[in-house]
Amino acid sequence: MTTDAALVDLAALGDDFTRDPFPVYAALRARGPVHHVRMPEGHTAWLVVGYEAGRAALADPALSKDWRNIAPDLGIFRISSGVSMLSTDPPVHTRLRRLIAREFTMRRVERLAPQVQRITDDLLDAMLPLGAADLVDAFSFPLPITVIGELLGVPFLARDSFRDWSNTALSSNEQAEREEAANRLTQYLVELLAQKREQPGDDLMSGLIHAADTGDDDRLTPEELIGMAWLLLVAGHETTVNLITSGVLALLTHPDQLALLRARPELIDDAVEEMLRWDGPVETPTYRFTTGPYRVGGTTVPGGGQVVLVAMADANRDPDRFPDPGRFDITRDARGHLAFGHGIHFCLGAPLARLEARVAVRSLLERCPDLALDAHPAALSWRGGMLIRGPERLPVRW
């Protein structure tokens, strides 16, 4: 294969690809590790498939995360505002990550377990008398947004508007809609930071604002502060919402595994890892850009700011890494999956996402012994785009 390989039009596959991209990825993987594709959003990119090629690309410093390196003629709108860890390379990335890494260590996150359990119990107390609900509305969304809101010290978050803007900015295939939602979200975050500056507390957001307002070595520029707010609030809840939703869907559509987890609740950690491998919340990570010709297998991707996407969803279904990958098995050793990425951009919030999913799924199953899907799986609508993956709604009954 060479750089003039035919363009694979994923956009033409429509809802079928959005609902179930795995057969398409597997077919591409059988042909080679990288393909020039048209994304559902309409733009072109180079898609890396397979576990080894994907893992290598995620950790390769030759691929930049800095949007200043994108080819202008691609016409791609940048969703997030400001400067964050997801849009920088070392040494800027190193400095920004160091600023908040201490908040997300395994030990510090585990201290949040009682708080996560309390929020989970409150949501279930409100949901259970209903007998049926959309799990996303009633549980999967409010849990992580409440947790991250309390962690950051912004309990006054306008959740409904925030959710709508975030979903549209990350998942709409219409660029005009994405731009409008992203601009509204940015303006809201600017106002939120101003409000928080007037009401500081002993929380992460206050600490970041202080770092922006003082002249110490860890000073944040205004662009870095808004970028951090984008990253922590948007990425801080989106991934966990879809991890919980898709994980519960996987259990409800695999009754043998659901029964096994009910019988052996000590398997919850393994079950969460298999949920991440089977259908993780991030289909492809945020963009990487070529700074020179980039070789993948027998193909050279042109330099000059071409977009490179890693199909993490496909890497986690690669039979060369995970035997019988199309089988959902909570007893599988799913360690090594790429659901949280790999390398220096590995998801900083992974310990928190795992904790929330563990508490949420365990508590839901304990308190809903007859939990069942209240819609045919084929009737579910899925998030658009190739970034965030998960059902838009999940009707359940008990």
Side-chain angles (χ1 to χ4, degrees), residues 258-271 330-331:
L258 176 59
L260 177 60
L261 185 56
R262 288 191 182 283
R264 297 180 58 192
E266 71 274 10
L267 290 174
I268 186 62
D269 285 341
D270 293 333
I330 65 170
T331 66

Side-chain angles (χ1 to χ4, degrees), residues 185-388:
L185 187 53
T186 296
Q187 182 57 39
Y188 176 73
L189 290 176
V190 170
E191 296 169 359
L192 186 74
L193 288 169
Q195 187 175 358
K196 187 61 186 172
R197 183 176 271 111
E198 295 177 359
Q199 302 175 29
D202 184 20
D203 54 69
L204 179 53
M205 189 66 79
S206 295
L208 292 175
I209 291 171
H210 176 74
D213 290 345
T214 58
D216 57 28
D217 292 339
D218 283 336
R219 181 188 177 103
L220 284 174
T221 67
E223 292 78 14
E224 290 171 346
L225 180 59
I226 194 68
M228 282 287 201
W230 249 96
L231 178 66
L232 292 169
L233 278 167
V234 178
H237 87 275
E238 281 281 7
T239 50
T240 310
V241 171
N242 293 283
L243 168 56
I244 295 170
T245 305
S246 294
V248 171
L249 176 61
L251 288 171
L252 295 180
T253 52
H254 295 82
D256 60 325
Q257 298 302 296
L258 176 59
L260 177 60
L261 185 56
R262 288 191 182 283
R264 297 180 58 192
E266 71 274 10
L267 290 174
I268 186 62
D269 285 341
D270 293 333
V272 169
E273 296 308 305
E274 178 67 347
M275 292 169 186
L276 286 160
R277 182 203 70 84
W278 168 258
D279 204 355
V282 182
E283 188 170 338
T284 64
T286 51
Y287 298 160
R288 284 164 167 77
F289 312 109
T290 59
T291 55
Y294 187 71
R295 190 84 171 165
V296 184
T299 300
T300 299
V301 177
Q306 293 295 300
V307 170
V308 174
L309 289 178
V310 178
M312 299 192 302
D314 179 69
N316 292 334
R317 297 271 189 116
D318 187 340
D320 288 342
R321 176 61 179 81
F322 299 102
D324 197 7
R327 178 170 54 88
F328 180 69
D329 178 6
I330 65 170
T331 66
R332 177 198 302 274
D333 183 357
R335 289 176 299 179
H337 64 72
L338 301 182
F340 288 121
H342 177 63
I344 65 169
H345 292 284
F346 181 85
C347 177
L348 195 61
L352 181 57
R354 284 179 164 121
L355 169 65
E356 291 178 70
R358 185 169 69 239
V359 172
V361 173
R362 183 183 61 224
S363 300
L364 181 65
L365 297 186
E366 285 176 354
R367 297 186 61 179
C368 298
D370 55 349
L371 185 71
L373 193 60
D374 204 18
H376 193 284
L380 299 175
S381 59
W382 289 74
R383 298 282 295 269
M386 293 177 64
L387 176 60
I388 299 295

Side-chain angles (χ1 to χ4, degrees), residues 114-124 139 142-144 146-147 150:
Q115 186 176 351
V116 173
Q117 187 67 62
R118 170 183 56 79
I119 296 168
T120 298
D121 291 341
D122 289 346
L123 290 170
L124 290 175
F139 191 61
L143 172 57
T146 302
V147 171
E150 291 191 4

Side-chain angles (χ1 to χ4, degrees), residues 5-18 24-25 28 31 35-45 47 173 386:
L7 188 71
V8 178
D9 194 352
L10 301 178
L13 300 179
D15 291 342
D16 289 342
F17 176 72
T18 300
V24 176
Y25 289 148
L28 291 175
R31 290 164 45 192
H35 303 271
H36 199 200
V37 302
R38 186 182 311 282
M39 298 181 289
E41 299 92 320
H43 305 296
T44 60
L47 183 72
N173 289 334
M386 293 177 64

Side-chain angles (χ1 to χ4, degrees), residues 7-79:
L7 188 71
V8 178
D9 194 352
L10 301 178
L13 300 179
D15 291 342
D16 289 342
F17 176 72
T18 300
R19 185 180 304 108
D20 185 11
F22 300 104
V24 176
Y25 289 148
L28 291 175
R29 184 179 357 107
R31 290 164 45 192
V34 66
H35 303 271
H36 199 200
V37 302
R38 186 182 311 282
M39 298 181 289
E41 299 92 320
H43 305 296
T44 60
W46 292 83
L47 183 72
V48 178
V49 291
Y51 184 86
E52 291 300 333
R55 189 172 186 270
L58 288 171
D60 197 327
L63 294 174
S64 173
K65 299 282 284 184
D66 192 328
W67 274 79
R68 290 174 297 183
N69 289 321
I70 189 174
D73 60 352
L74 290 178
I76 297 179
F77 169 73
R78 182 184 172 193
I79 301 170

